[in-house]
């Protein structure tokens, strides 16, 4: 059961990564895309560690703290209402900016919780559940605010 959940999150993260096509991005769009890419890399690192049952506590904490930092910057990174190609952002972001920022806030909160749990040597079910919360925010936000390519 646990393995199913973990691999479900991993699949979602991989699918997000497979869609990466941000060559040619500049300015605000590049900053956002690079940040999302960094988040995806750290999610993969954590997902691999949880699946293998050998997540290094310090590495897990550091990765989750990086994710939290990027999530905390999201509202600022999306301040400029641009969807210049190759951006995959949907213009509705700027009509529902509070909700968009709230989802980013949920990711930040879950990532900080994960960092604390990982550093404190929490049980794998606890870590899996928090990792699932983190992953849930990716899909929640992408579903409404990112164009699937
Ligand atoms: C609050 C909204 C939000 C959250 C939360 C969020 N994303 Fe994104 N993500 C976006 C938007 C919007 C884009 C498209 C940005 C653009 O192209 O301008 C995007 C793009 C991406 C991309 C593509 C980047 C590229 O170079 O093309 C990846 C990968 C990604 N997100 C991974 C993740 C992962 C993994 C998570 C969760 C840990 C996550 N995102 C959480 C909104 C979000």
């Amino acid at each position: 059961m646990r393995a199913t959940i973990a691999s479900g999150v991993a699949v979602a993260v991989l699918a997000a990564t497979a869609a990466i096509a941000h060559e040619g991005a500049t300015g605000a769009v590049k900053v956002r895309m690079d940040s999302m890419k960094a988040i995806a890399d750290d999610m993969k690192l954590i997902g691999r560690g949880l699946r293998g049952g050998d997540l290094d506590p310090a590495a897990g904490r550091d990765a989750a703290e990086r994710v939290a930092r990027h999530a905390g910057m999201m509202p600022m990174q999306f301040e400029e209402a641009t969807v210049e190609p190759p951006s995959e952002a949907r213009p509705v972001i700027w009509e529902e900016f509070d909700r968009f920022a709230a989802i980013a806030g949920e990711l930040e909160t879950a990532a900080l919780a994960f960092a604390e749990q990982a550093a404190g040597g929490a049980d794998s079910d606890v870590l899996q559940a928090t990792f699932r919360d983190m992953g849930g925010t990716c899909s929640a936000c992408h579903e409404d605010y990112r164009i699937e390519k």
Side-chain angles (χ1 to χ4, degrees), residues 22 32-33 36 39 87-88 100 138 141-142 145-146:
H22 69 219
R32 287 174 197 161
M33 285 181 149
M36 289 288 171
I39 289 176
S87 175
E88 297 170 351
F100 179 86
C138 323
C141 194
H142 291 170
Y145 301 120
R146 179 183 174 203

Side-chain angles (χ1 to χ4, degrees), residues 5-142:
I5 291 164
S7 55
V9 172
V11 167
V13 172
L14 285 178
T17 314
I20 287 179
H22 69 219
E23 282 78 27
T26 56
V29 172
K30 178 166 169 43
V31 171
R32 287 174 197 161
M33 285 181 149
D34 286 348
S35 190
M36 289 288 171
K37 169 87 171 62
I39 289 176
D41 288 346
D42 278 322
M43 290 296 281
K44 267 187 281 184
L45 183 154
I46 295 171
R48 256 197 317 267
L50 289 178
R51 266 194 317 282
D54 59 354
L55 181 70
D56 176 67
R61 177 202 58 207
D62 291 351
E65 280 179 351
R66 284 191 297 267
V67 171
R69 217 162 29 239
H70 284 280
M73 290 189 297
M74 270 183 205
M76 197 182 69
Q77 288 174 340
F78 281 87
E79 221 162 44
E80 193 182 330
T82 172
V83 293
E84 190 177 289
S87 175
E88 297 170 351
R90 285 185 196 269
V92 69
I93 291 172
W94 295 281
E95 287 165 31
E96 301 176 2
F97 201 77
D98 288 352
R99 177 167 178 263
F100 179 86
I103 302 175
E106 283 170 26
L107 174 57
E108 183 181 15
T109 303
L112 288 174
F114 188 96
E116 203 176 309
Q117 290 164 357
D123 279 357
S124 120
D125 334 15
V126 173
L127 293 174
Q128 297 274 8
T130 310
F131 184 59
R132 201 168 62 233
D133 290 344
M134 290 168 72
T137 69
C138 323
S139 348
C141 194
H142 291 170

